[in-house]
Amino acid sequence: MENEEIEKVASMASIDLTEEEKQKLEGDMENILDWFSRLDEIDTEDVDPAFQPIEIKNEMREDKVEKCLEREKALENTKNKEDGFFKGPSTG
Amino acid sequence: MDENNVKIGLETHLQILTDSKLFCGCPTSGNDEPNTRVCPTCLGMPGARPRINKRAIEMGIKVAVALGCKTPDEMNFSRKTYFYPDMPKNFQITQFSVPVGVEGELTMELDGKEKTVRIKRVHIEEDPGKLKHVGGSVLSSDYVLVDYNRSGIPLCEIVTKPDLRSPEEARTFLRKLSEIFEYLGVYDTTGDATIRSDANISSGGERAEVKNITGFKDTERALRYEIRRQKNLNKRGKEVKRETRAYDDKSGTTKALRTKEQEADYGYIFEPDLTRIQLKESWVDSLRDEIPELPHEKKRRYIEEYSLPKEIASSICSDFAMTRIFEDLVNERNTELVANILSGPVKKVLNYNEIRLDESQIDKDKITKIIVMIENGEITDRNAEMIIREIATEDKDPEEIKEQKGFGKVSTDRINGMVDEVLEKNKDVVEDYRSGKREALNYLVGQIMKKSQGNADPQNTRDILKKRIEK
Amino acid sequence: MVSSRDRAPGDILKYSGMSVSEFMKKDVDIEDFYGKLKNRLKKMEKMGYIRPVDYNISEKGKLGGLPFTLKDSICSKNDPTYAGSKILEGYKPPFDATVAKKIKEAGGVIFAKTHQDEFAFGTASTNCAFTTPKNPWDTERCCGGSSGGAAGLSVALDLPHINLGESTGGSISEPVSFTGAVGLTPTYGTVSRYGLISFANSLDKIGPITRSVEDAAIGLDIISGKDPMDQTTVDTEGNYAKDLDGDLKDTKIGIPEGYFKISGEGVSETVKEAVKVLEDLGADIQKVELEMTEAALPAYYIIAPAEASTNLAKYCGMRYGMEEDPEGSFREYFSKIRGKGFGDEVKRRVILGTYTRMAGYRDKYYLKALKVRKKIINDFKSAFKEVDVLAAPTAPIVAPCIDEIEGMSPVEQYKLDKLTAPINLAGMPQISVPCGFHRDMPVGLHLMGDHFQEKNIIKVGHRYEKERGSIKYPEV
Ligand SMILES: [Mg+2]
Ligand SMILES: [Zn+2]
């Protein structure tokens, strides 16, 4: 994996990486992806993907209103709040 | 504007009407104080999980079926990952590989001709929260304030093929689409529910995507701007770039967000907290049975069954509440009169107030009273329109208004009196008429109408005038 | 190994070695008991097992105040819950996980959170942002991972209690085999994941970690059952702790030879001896071929990080956890917080998981791995047509030293999951029971069953344990 590619993935994953981290990851990823390539040999023609390990289907909830979280509780884990709103970084 | 090469595809989001959100039990309406209709799930708190709302699925199926889509035997939900402050989990649960409907179509009327827009897909997804940009615009604020009351509200997204040819067509399409949603009872036209679109526009070259346009008017406006921008580039010999642009509703312009190279990769995976959902035939069929007669079907029937002119039928059918009044009254009263009142003055007054019938104070009883008064010759058409204007936004009684305003037909004697005066004052006009200018009569009728404050019956007045002049 | 339960005389140890069922049956002086428990907490904290939480001593319900711990990734209302990560430091969930709710409603007391690898990414609990739990048998060695704190505590804390761990690819079985505890991983969907901080939702399972099979079965009875808050849960019969005794005459046990070949010789031999014990008890032992063993680990390391990288997207310096003044654009702010808040292994797996689901690679990696998973499930399904239970070593080696782990490459570390990843990908139940020692470190016997056949593995485990006799645990 090239440095450029690591940077692309890191930006997609929204993580700042130091130069050192990038270099280390390049090597790690190389090894790991190489190891993954052994799956290529497995014939999966006509095999359906297993979404979950067991077959579960059609689980749905009735359209009923339930109790909400009190606003104080919703906001209690952050200092970044203002007038009942959560505060976040700009979208610019 | 030369729009021959213009191709527009829309991705339109409409809220679907449920009591609780798509993945949690928080109410979809009620307290509007920020962050009062939230829970661990719609706030994306660690450990919370989605629990899908059956009614939302059923609504989605109805939309797909109403748009003539194919529904799959089994569908699933996916995670669309992208980072944004209004997204509590930084991924949106939506449908990707197998949506609720594909390959449908919507037929609409454009300048009297029918046009079919192909629908690529219909899918169900959750809405993010709502942002307030503090200290600047979307692109320049200092920070944002987030209200997650909207987070998790169920949406239906309709993606068209690039079949629309102009901003007007796009607007007509959206109108038609919201009509269908209204008929299906899956969309609340009276609430703060909005119609939001992303549009793909090309004017011959590359296409640009304009994100986040709210409402009918702004869609037309944003598209106009974008087409003009693309044509101007072409004129200057520049190429349109494949890029994503943001619509700024304050300035009515679009601004570049990112180019194709920076295109977001959503890294879709299956949503592992939800199970697959089988759309058993019996289930889909029972939902299909619940689908009412849709606007174009109703229109066709009105034309055939009640011999309504096409325009009148389509005017009535564009407002579901209006069709209900029409159908209630059509057998009791004069069909033509009912249709004319609804599609004429009622529609005109509603449009003027920019509201729909069920948002107004007009109801079946009031319309009935007005029609009865017209049938009995107690008021004129013009009186009727004035009454409708009064009752559109305020709960008033048509009969009382008639009394207050002194409406009521002016007797033939009084008209005769007024005719005397008018003929005396307008001898030259009378001469004109007598020398062959037939339209001079209209002027004289107008004078009488003015004198009677619109209360004289125009036909009667005309007859009297004619007799007197030709004598 | 010793032959009987050595109870040291004197008041201070009167609860020592007491089982969970004894605790529930006996008239325990709860104040006195919790006094003893409290005295032990400092030491347990020092060993890197727990972060104590505020609790109220109660004696109500059928559990009568039985103490519990939760893995750090399981939410309990108002208790610090960090999933082993700096990015969640200080977080207090405003709600109870369903398992926490069930414990409280049954009269259990949650007294601590157990340390784990950050977001459960690890096989040795050396990736914890806060501490590394030390193996009670040899403090140079690790406790395994990712439920390492729970596995260490159940052996080190000589008082009746139940720990809830969580397994994605073997995070219950592997650590208990390293510490000599018992770990029961139920079938996917048996225990609600509501309130579990997700690693990989299609793989995560909560299960009990205890000293005995019976205690584990009691634990599973308390926490299992369909939950409307988790739509992937299913109705199960429960009653796992009922009718534990039974002979093995009609039980067919499959031996996947590949699993023994992968394991180190000492471990392999120890487990073979345990299989011999089962055979002597009347079980019908058969060889079994599992073709997909080699494919499981790479498939696991594609699926789990792919899901994990989306689960971890929510940690971005808003609403909870690590935060700063939200200045600048969200891209910079989110990236900065995530760069600071996540440890090395988390970054590695988020990058890996993001990569394998990218537009160009999705089919090659993510979808391919899901198909391989299907083949692995089928592989086990056909084995379980022939046998009731599979028996193998839980981990290929005994607990390695902590510095050894730190010198290993990621792939080498990942390979510690080699024997547990397949059955976890299949979402089938498993129990690891200590079955002897190699180089003075415990070895685990892994008993695996078909979907929802917990009863089979519990029965075999319990019978084996009775035959083996009690273990003399190290004094901590
Ligand atoms: Mg959408
Ligand atoms: Zn909610």
Side-chain angles (χ1 to χ4, degrees):
Chain A
M1 199 187 255
E2 308 279 302
N3 193 283
E4 219 172 82
E5 206 156 20
I6 285 281
E7 267 168 18
K8 190 180 164 200
V9 184
S11 123
M12 209 179 130
S14 224
I15 297 186
D16 273 351
L17 296 175
T18 62
E19 273 316 309
E20 203 185 336
E21 282 174 326
K22 276 182 216 161
Q23 260 172 26
K24 176 127 199 340
L25 273 170
E26 258 174 64
D28 291 345
M29 289 290 287
E30 203 72 61
N31 279 332
I32 297 168
L33 294 174
D34 188 46
W35 178 52
F36 286 170
S37 65
R38 77 174 46 169
L39 292 188
D40 297 345
E41 296 151 28
I42 297 167
D43 178 17
T44 48
E45 267 310 298
D46 308 320
V47 180
D48 287 330
F51 296 79
Q52 275 122 351
I54 52 169
E55 286 291 325
I56 16 173
K57 277 175 185 166
N58 301 338
E59 285 297 327
M60 285 174 267
R61 167 180 68 85
E62 292 305 318
D63 182 25
K64 288 223 175 68
V65 170
E66 296 161 15
K67 225 179 132 231
C68 297
L69 202 56
E70 310 92 84
R71 180 157 75 179
E72 243 168 70
K73 291 297 280 179
L75 290 160
E76 116 192 309
N77 272 290
T78 181
K79 286 193 209 95
N80 290 331
K81 54 192 161 190
E82 202 172 290
D83 307 328
F85 290 91
F86 286 95
K87 209 170 143 183
S90 139
T91 54
Chain B
M1 203 185 294
D2 172 25
E3 281 161 0
N4 294 339
N5 298 324
V6 171
K7 282 184 185 166
I8 301 165
L10 292 178
E11 296 169 16
T12 301
H13 300 83
L14 286 124
Q15 180 178 339
I16 44 187
L17 200 60
T18 53
D19 292 335
S20 65
K21 292 183 180 179
L22 184 53
F23 297 120
C24 63
C26 293
T28 52
S29 60
N31 193 343
D32 283 327
E33 285 290 305
N35 297 305
T36 49
R37 285 184 276 123
V38 293
C39 72
T41 295
C42 56
L43 283 173
M45 297 191 113
R49 307 198 175 273
R51 291 169 293 131
I52 203 157
N53 184 334
K54 187 176 182 191
R55 188 170 160 80
I57 301 278
E58 294 185 331
M59 301 274 196
I61 294 173
K62 280 191 187 179
V63 171
V65 170
L67 291 173
C69 290
K70 289 184 205 160
T71 54
D73 296 337
E74 188 177 279
M75 65 178 188
N76 54 51
F77 282 80
S78 291
R79 291 181 175 181
K80 176 182 181 177
T81 307
Y82 65 95
F83 290 80
Y84 212 66
D86 62 3
M87 293 260 293
K89 306 182 288 297
N90 283 323
F91 63 76
Q92 179 191 35
I93 304 178
T94 179
Q95 295 194 288
F96 175 58
S97 48
V98 192
V100 68
V102 292
E103 294 173 32
E105 56 181 45
L106 185 151
T107 301
M108 57 191 198
E109 210 169 282
L110 269 167
D111 308 322
K113 270 183 276 170
E114 289 213 327
K115 159 144 192 165
T116 298
V117 179
R118 290 170 299 163
I119 307 288
K120 205 158 139 190
R121 53 187 276 145
V122 173
H123 67 249
I124 303 162
E125 63 183 25
E126 58 177 334
D127 211 351
K130 213 175 194 166
L131 295 179
K132 247 170 89 174
H133 306 276
V134 179
S137 74
V138 183
L139 295 172
S140 67
S141 70
D142 298 327
Y143 58 92
V144 295
L145 294 179
V146 201
D147 170 12
Y148 292 103
N149 283 347
R150 206 174 72 181
S151 164
I153 298 263
L155 300 176
C156 196
E157 179 173 338
I158 290 99
V159 182
T160 74
K161 296 246 170 120
D163 287 350
L164 297 158
R165 291 282 172 274
S166 70
E168 295 77 17
E169 278 195 34
R171 184 175 176 162
T172 307
F173 171 80
L174 292 184
R175 274 261 172 248
K176 191 79 195 167
L177 196 61
S178 75
E179 254 172 62
I180 292 175
F181 270 66
E182 194 189 356
Y183 270 61
L184 292 174
V186 304
Y187 180 56
D188 181 7
T189 48
T190 58
D192 56 0
T194 51
I195 185 160
R196 270 173 293 154
S197 301
D198 300 333
N200 283 298
I201 306 127
S202 69
S203 327
E206 271 292 4
R207 67 186 162 91
E209 188 183 6
V210 178
K211 288 249 173 219
N212 227 350
I213 322 167
T214 304
F216 304 105
K217 265 192 219 159
D218 267 340
T219 304
E220 203 175 329
R221 196 161 157 236
L223 291 172
R224 256 183 221 298
Y225 175 86
E226 181 57 23
I227 292 166
R228 203 181 321 124
R229 187 189 71 87
Q230 294 190 5
K231 300 246 157 163
N232 283 342
L233 281 176
N234 288 339
K235 249 183 243 161
R236 281 182 280 144
K238 287 187 183 157
E239 293 218 332
V240 174
K241 265 188 281 180
R242 172 94 173 258
E243 61 185 4
T244 304
R245 303 179 67 82
Y247 176 63
D248 177 16
D249 60 352
K250 292 203 179 71
S251 60
T253 61
T254 68
K255 285 192 190 79
L257 271 182
R258 52 178 183 259
T259 61
K260 191 191 168 197
E261 288 71 44
Q262 304 160 313
E263 203 66 353
D265 182 341
Y266 299 121
Y268 287 97
I269 65 164
F270 299 108
E271 172 51 68
D273 277 336
L274 297 172
T275 70
R276 279 171 289 172
I277 294 165
Q278 288 173 306
L279 306 188
K280 296 197 189 89
E281 230 177 277
S282 55
W283 190 29
V284 176
D285 284 347
S286 72
L287 290 166
R288 183 178 285 118
D289 289 346
E290 284 175 34
I291 294 178
E293 190 181 28
L294 292 172
H296 62 279
E297 295 163 343
K298 228 183 233 311
K299 193 181 100 187
R300 199 180 307 135
R301 181 167 66 86
Y302 284 8
I303 294 169
E304 283 165 16
E305 205 173 319
Y306 306 116
S307 314
L308 296 191
K310 214 160 117 189
E311 303 73 51
I312 288 179
S314 88
S315 167
I316 294 172
C317 292
S318 68
D319 192 325
F320 185 60
M322 198 172 274
T323 65
R324 305 245 302 265
I325 295 187
F326 176 76
E327 286 172 26
D328 281 350
L329 292 180
V330 73
N331 294 322
E332 297 167 20
R333 318 236 66 101
N334 180 295
T335 305
E336 203 185 327
L337 184 53
V338 176
N340 287 342
I341 287 291
L342 289 172
S343 66
V346 171
K347 197 69 184 226
K348 186 171 150 195
V349 169
L350 291 176
N351 286 348
Y352 176 79
N353 285 296
E354 297 187 313
I355 50 174
R356 300 177 64 77
L357 188 63
D358 53 7
E359 294 170 281
S360 76
Q361 296 293 327
I362 302 171
D363 59 19
K364 183 193 156 191
D365 288 347
K366 290 173 187 160
I367 294 288
T368 309
K369 282 184 179 172
I370 292 169
I371 286 172
V372 169
M373 291 190 282
I374 295 174
E375 282 177 345
N376 293 344
E378 292 167 43
I379 56 170
T380 65
D381 288 355
R382 195 155 161 236
N383 296 152
E385 185 176 331
M386 287 169 79
I387 293 172
I388 290 163
R389 233 179 271 161
E390 299 269 325
I391 63 171
T393 54
E394 275 172 86
D395 186 18
K396 290 187 185 168
D397 178 30
E399 283 166 349
E400 276 169 30
I401 298 171
K402 185 196 93 178
E403 297 303 324
Q404 281 164 15
K405 298 259 172 186
F407 295 159
K409 284 245 175 89
V410 181
S411 67
T412 306
D413 279 357
R414 271 200 59 203
I415 295 177
N416 270 322
M418 283 186 268
V419 166
D420 286 341
E421 279 177 50
V422 168
L423 290 183
E424 186 59 34
K425 265 192 201 158
N426 296 286
K427 280 186 175 146
D428 44 342
V429 183
V430 174
E431 276 315 306
D432 284 350
Y433 179 80
R434 283 182 177 144
S435 63
K437 276 195 185 167
R438 306 314 263 177
E439 62 273 22
L441 188 65
N442 294 341
Y443 177 80
L444 296 173
V445 173
Q447 293 301 304
I448 307 273
M449 294 308 291
K450 212 167 162 188
K451 260 195 159 9
S452 69
Q453 291 177 315
N455 291 332
D457 182 73
Q459 196 51 51
N460 196 14
T461 307
R462 206 177 184 85
D463 293 344
I464 294 171
L465 271 167
K466 249 178 149 179
K467 257 188 223 157
R468 292 278 301 273
I469 298 172
E470 286 169 2
K471 181 163 72 174
Chain C
M1 226 179 281
V2 294
S3 55
S4 66
R5 233 173 218 147
D6 308 54
R7 286 242 181 103
D11 184 49
I12 193 138
L13 288 176
K14 74 177 172 189
Y15 307 107
S16 176
M18 184 187 270
S19 75
V20 165
S21 65
E22 281 174 310
F23 177 93
M24 285 160 67
K25 272 179 234 143
K26 277 187 184 153
D27 215 0
V28 175
D29 178 345
I30 201 85
E31 296 283 338
D32 179 56
F33 175 80
Y34 271 92
K36 302 279 184 304
L37 179 77
K38 195 167 172 244
N39 289 337
R40 305 279 287 131
L41 293 188
K42 270 274 159 295
K43 181 73 192 171
M44 296 299 115
E45 220 180 323
K46 225 179 136 203
M47 288 291 283
Y49 303 138
I50 58 165
R51 182 190 323 110
V53 301
D54 291 336
Y55 60 88
N56 294 318
I57 305 170
S58 82
E59 205 178 345
K60 52 173 187 162
K62 67 172 185 210
L63 296 178
L66 181 71
F68 281 79
T69 71
L70 303 179
K71 188 172 177 173
D72 200 16
S73 55
I74 302 173
C75 295
S76 51
K77 197 171 177 176
N78 300 330
D79 295 335
T81 304
Y82 309 155
S85 183
K86 280 260 183 266
I87 212 160
L88 268 177
E89 196 170 3
Y91 177 60
K92 290 181 182 171
F95 66 101
D96 268 326
T98 297
V99 291
K101 198 168 148 229
K102 286 189 172 205
I103 289 168
K104 290 175 183 176
E105 280 169 2
V109 175
I110 295 163
F111 70 93
K113 293 287 163 91
T114 56
H115 287 299
Q116 61 168 92
D117 286 301
E118 184 174 2
F119 289 110
F121 297 173
T123 49
S125 297
T126 49
N127 296 331
C128 180
F130 303 103
T131 182
T132 296
K134 299 182 181 79
N135 197 302
W137 300 89
D138 176 354
T139 54
E140 298 283 299
R141 292 175 187 267
C142 74
C143 278
S146 62
S147 308
L153 185 74
S154 62
V155 167
L157 179 61
D158 194 21
L159 293 170
H161 70 287
I162 294 176
N163 308 293
L164 294 192
E166 174 276 333
S167 170
T168 306
S171 284
I172 290 176
S173 289
E174 190 249 20
V176 301
S177 94
F178 282 2
T179 65
V182 169
L184 172 54
T185 308
T187 307
Y188 181 85
T190 299
V191 176
S192 169
R193 291 179 295 111
Y194 183 74
L196 168 71
I197 299 180
S198 297
F199 169 177
N201 321 50
S202 79
L203 292 156
D204 295 347
K205 301 154 297 274
I206 294 174
I209 292 178
T210 55
R211 281 188 171 193
S212 75
V213 174
E214 184 181 17
D215 288 1
I218 292 171
L220 186 57
D221 273 336
I222 297 159
I223 59 173
S224 60
K226 191 171 172 64
D227 178 17
M229 298 304 283
D230 174 359
Q231 293 189 334
T232 64
T233 52
V234 287
D235 263 322
T236 49
E237 281 168 35
N239 273 327
Y240 299 103
K242 215 179 134 207
D243 307 325
L244 286 183
D245 296 313
D247 66 51
L248 303 184
K249 289 252 153 54
D250 296 318
T251 307
K252 290 183 199 142
I253 298 178
I255 307 298
E257 286 205 297
Y259 283 49
F260 288 81
K261 281 184 198 137
I262 289 165
S263 304
E265 208 178 310
V267 168
S268 203
E269 286 309 313
T270 310
V271 176
K272 273 180 191 160
E273 275 168 41
V275 173
K276 186 79 185 45
V277 172
L278 295 174
E279 192 168 19
D280 292 344
L281 288 170
D284 175 7
I285 308 291
Q286 302 177 9
K287 281 178 190 168
V288 164
E289 199 74 60
L290 292 170
E291 288 171 9
M292 298 299 295
T293 306
E294 285 293 323
L297 205 56
Y300 171 77
Y301 274 94
I302 292 171
I303 298 168
E307 290 183 14
S309 62
T310 63
N311 285 320
L312 267 54
K314 60 170 72 80
Y315 307 108
C316 64
M318 278 181 75
R319 299 176 295 274
Y320 44 75
M322 183 184 275
E323 64 184 7
E324 292 177 12
D325 269 345
E327 282 171 347
S329 153
F330 72 99
R331 281 181 207 89
E332 292 143 33
Y333 176 76
F334 288 178
S335 301
K336 181 173 68 178
I337 293 286
R338 290 163 65 76
K340 279 186 192 175
F342 289 147
D344 289 344
E345 184 58 25
V346 173
K347 286 180 188 168
R348 190 178 296 122
R349 293 205 198 180
V350 168
I351 293 293
L352 182 62
T354 304
Y355 183 82
T356 54
R357 58 183 169 83
M358 274 167 76
Y361 304 108
R362 194 172 174 270
D363 289 2
K364 178 176 163 61
Y365 295 115
Y366 174 67
L367 272 179
K368 177 82 182 183
L370 290 182
K371 290 176 182 172
V372 170
R373 162 150 72 174
K374 185 77 184 179
K375 288 193 90 167
I376 290 164
I377 295 169
N378 292 342
D379 204 18
F380 279 112
K381 280 278 175 200
S382 46
F384 286 121
K385 275 190 194 125
E386 309 296 321
V387 299
D388 305 307
V389 171
L390 291 169
T394 307
I397 53 171
V398 294
C401 288
I402 290 166
D403 52 17
E404 243 179 287
I405 296 281
E406 278 156 4
M408 284 160 101
S409 78
V411 175
E412 281 168 337
Q413 280 190 44
Y414 297 167
K415 284 185 176 166
L416 289 175
D417 280 342
K418 207 160 182 182
L419 302 181
T420 52
I423 197 76
N424 274 281
L425 271 180
M428 289 170 177
Q430 21 171 330
I431 192 163
S432 179
V433 183
C435 68
F437 291 83
H438 171 58
R439 291 192 184 138
D440 297 330
M441 291 304 291
V443 171
L445 164 68
H446 212 205
L447 300 166
M448 300 169 270
D450 198 357
H451 289 143
F452 306 111
Q453 301 304 311
E454 276 80 355
K455 289 235 149 170
N456 287 342
I457 55 170
I458 289 170
K459 185 180 80 180
V460 175
H462 180 69
R463 186 69 193 86
Y464 171 77
E465 210 176 49
K466 246 168 89 179
E467 196 62 23
R468 182 204 63 199
S470 63
I471 295 171
K472 182 159 173 55
Y473 296 103
E475 226 169 271
V476 176

